[in-house]
Amino acid sequence: GAGVSQSPSNKVTEKGKDVELRCDPISGHTALYWYRQSLGQGLEFLIYFQGNSAPDKSGLPSDRFSAERTGGSVSTLTIQRTQQEDSAVYLCASSLASGSETQYFGPGTRLLVL
Amino acid sequence: AQSVTQLDSQVPVFEEAPVELRCNYSSSVSVYLFWYVQYPNQGLQLLLKYLSGSTLVKGINGFEAEFNKSQTSFHLRKPSVHISDTAEYFCAVSPLLSGGYNKLIFGAGTRLAVHP
């Protein structure tokens, strides 16, 4: 079946602009996670969704970052007023349930802020 | 808090040789342990996981790992590597949180380069 998909695959933006990154989890997966992979910080957890609610937002680096999930499916990660340090690969993962240990990752969105 | 240390940033090895990628972790609570592989321009793929029980776990592509609680290690091994194993490997832990979800905390990664 279809895996986790993310769009766009690449995004180049100018400093100060807002960007939206999209994640389509595997159908039926109730848990959804966002991670960021950057040269300086490695792979970091950003936020966790169970259904449409986000009980753990502890990894969001600043208030410029927000995320939502609608219909228990698609999630968007929004970065406002982008900065150069936001350049990274943003990875989305989903799992069947919150206690399910296996997370399935999408291919990521590579964000470059000029 | 939890942390994961992958002791080697790069491991070069010849084809058909054995390899070990080292991983140590620190945690004040019980954790699940994982190894993920990332091929170029792709997402992460689960190789294997340790939840409980036998400390030797077998995964895909002939990889295995051994959990050592006293040394807080979870080293990944393969007896004979192939060119196609060239990739970045990430060790990760997930603390057993009261919320019952699995927030992955990753090591910095080890780049395995298999040479002919």
Side-chain angles (χ1 to χ4, degrees):
Chain A
V4 178
S5 61
Q6 293 186 245
S7 60
S9 53
N10 291 281
K11 176 73 177 178
V12 181
T13 191
E14 293 178 348
K15 177 181 171 181
K17 295 284 180 68
D18 297 352
V19 295
E20 278 192 359
L21 312 179
R22 177 185 168 110
C23 172
D24 280 272
I26 293 172
S27 177
H29 281 196
T30 62
L32 186 147
Y33 303 79
W34 283 96
Y35 296 87
R36 178 169 74 171
Q37 186 173 23
S38 59
L39 282 176
Q41 302 297 323
L43 268 159
E44 309 169 276
F45 165 84
L46 297 179
I47 187 169
Y48 155 69
F49 285 93
Q50 176 55 39
N52 292 337
S53 64
D56 189 346
K57 307 178 184 180
S58 63
L60 294 178
S62 75
D63 59 7
R64 296 185 295 104
F65 287 72
S66 63
E68 66 174 11
R69 190 178 183 195
T70 56
S73 181
V74 172
S75 176
T76 54
L77 177 69
T78 301
I79 310 173
Q80 295 178 311
R81 304 180 304 281
T82 52
Q83 303 294 311
Q84 288 182 333
E85 61 262 29
D86 299 334
S87 296
V89 177
Y90 290 83
L91 294 166
C92 175
S94 70
S95 66
L96 189 57
S98 60
S100 176
E101 306 85 19
T102 301
Q103 294 181 28
Y104 296 86
F105 282 80
T109 293
R110 187 174 300 273
L111 175 66
L112 178 61
V113 182
L114 300 176
Chain B
Q2 294 75 37
S3 66
V4 178
T5 302
Q6 292 184 242
L7 297 157
D8 307 293
S9 59
Q10 295 187 62
V11 173
V13 64
F14 286 109
E15 194 174 18
E16 297 183 5
V19 71
E20 179 180 78
L21 306 184
R22 297 179 293 167
C23 173
N24 286 85
Y25 71 94
S26 171
S27 178
S28 56
V29 300
S30 296
V31 295
Y32 294 147
L33 295 145
F34 304 83
W35 276 98
Y36 279 85
V37 61
Q38 186 176 36
Y39 298 103
N41 299 314
Q42 293 187 28
L44 298 167
Q45 180 182 4
L46 180 67
L47 272 179
L48 48 77
K49 60 188 177 187
Y50 173 78
L51 307 180
S52 64
S54 174
T55 57
L56 182 65
V57 291
K58 294 188 183 297
I60 62 171
N61 301 340
F63 284 94
E64 64 181 32
E66 186 154 20
F67 170 56
N68 187 317
K69 188 173 183 179
S70 63
Q71 296 185 8
T72 60
S73 68
F74 190 54
H75 300 333
L76 181 71
R77 301 185 183 100
K78 186 170 183 178
S80 175
V81 295
H82 302 290
I83 297 286
S84 59
D85 292 323
T86 295
E88 185 111 22
Y89 292 78
F90 292 94
C91 180
V93 301
S94 173
L96 302 185
L97 300 170
S98 58
Y101 62 100
N102 290 290
K103 174 165 116 177
L104 292 171
I105 296 150
F106 289 91
T110 297
R111 185 169 299 275
L112 176 65
V114 182
H115 302 284

